[in-house]
Amino acid sequence: MSRIQLTPAPRYSFSTEIQIYISHVNQGGHLDNAQLLTLVSEARVRFFKSLGYYERGVEGALTVVGDIVAQYKSEGFHGETLRVEMLPAEFNKYGFDLQFRMSEKETCREVALGKIGIVFVTPQDRKVSLIPPVFLDKVRQM
């Protein structure tokens, strides 16, 4: 099986800090892979809030995660603070990729790279819908 290889973006338009709690650590003593998704999900929620939105309400549309991919670069440990940087990219008419880089705050050691496929849907029938133009304008101004 070939390995996933991702390249970090030259710059990210959003960042937030999240601490690794003991509940995020597995029996191997490092950040659990399922908990990495939890931390990335928290960062995604903060990204949308920074634009004035909740995921359940973006200009009348809902957002759903269509897919996610992560490449681990190093271990994360209890008590560390992670800086999660995000960049909206690769837009299509129904959504975009939210690229992320997760690094340890003090040393800047990369912990993970990845991207989340965001898809917009209508709240009434939960079918795929176009990216709301107002949202697109806000993101492009970041």
Side-chain angles (χ1 to χ4, degrees):
M1 178 172 92
S2 62
R3 297 260 327 188
I4 294 169
Q5 296 295 323
L6 300 171
T7 304
R11 70 167 193 84
Y12 292 84
S13 57
F14 171 81
S15 70
T16 189
E17 294 177 0
I18 303 175
Q19 187 173 12
I20 299 176
Y21 296 130
I22 194 65
S23 60
H24 298 135
V25 175
N26 63 20
Q27 292 182 12
H30 57 244
L31 178 61
D32 184 80
N33 60 2
Q35 295 303 317
L36 176 117
L37 297 179
T38 298
L39 298 179
V40 169
S41 292
E42 175 64 28
R44 185 186 73 244
V45 168
R46 292 179 188 185
F47 165 79
F48 278 101
K49 280 188 85 174
S50 77
L51 294 169
Y53 298 114
Y54 293 97
E55 292 179 297
R56 66 183 181 275
V58 178
E59 303 297 331
L62 304 175
T63 62
V64 295
V65 173
D67 51 27
I68 185 169
V69 63
Q71 176 189 10
Y72 296 96
K73 304 298 277 183
S74 68
E75 297 173 290
F77 299 100
H78 173 249
E80 290 181 333
T81 298
L82 299 178
R83 182 171 190 220
V84 184
E85 300 168 282
M86 298 187 137
L87 175 71
E90 299 182 38
F91 290 87
N92 63 60
K93 62 183 180 176
Y94 302 117
F96 64 98
D97 284 345
L98 189 55
Q99 296 178 357
F100 68 86
R101 175 173 55 195
M102 185 179 280
S103 55
E104 196 280 323
K105 179 183 173 183
E106 288 186 28
T107 64
C108 299
R109 180 186 81 249
E110 278 189 335
V111 173
L113 296 173
K115 61 183 180 174
I116 308 162
I118 304 292
V119 179
F120 289 90
V121 298
T122 57
Q124 300 83 5
D125 57 12
R126 301 186 83 80
K127 293 191 179 195
V128 175
S129 66
L130 299 175
I131 296 177
V134 174
F135 172 80
L136 197 53
D137 288 342
K138 283 185 179 183
V139 168
R140 287 189 171 146
Q141 292 175 21
M142 292 182 83

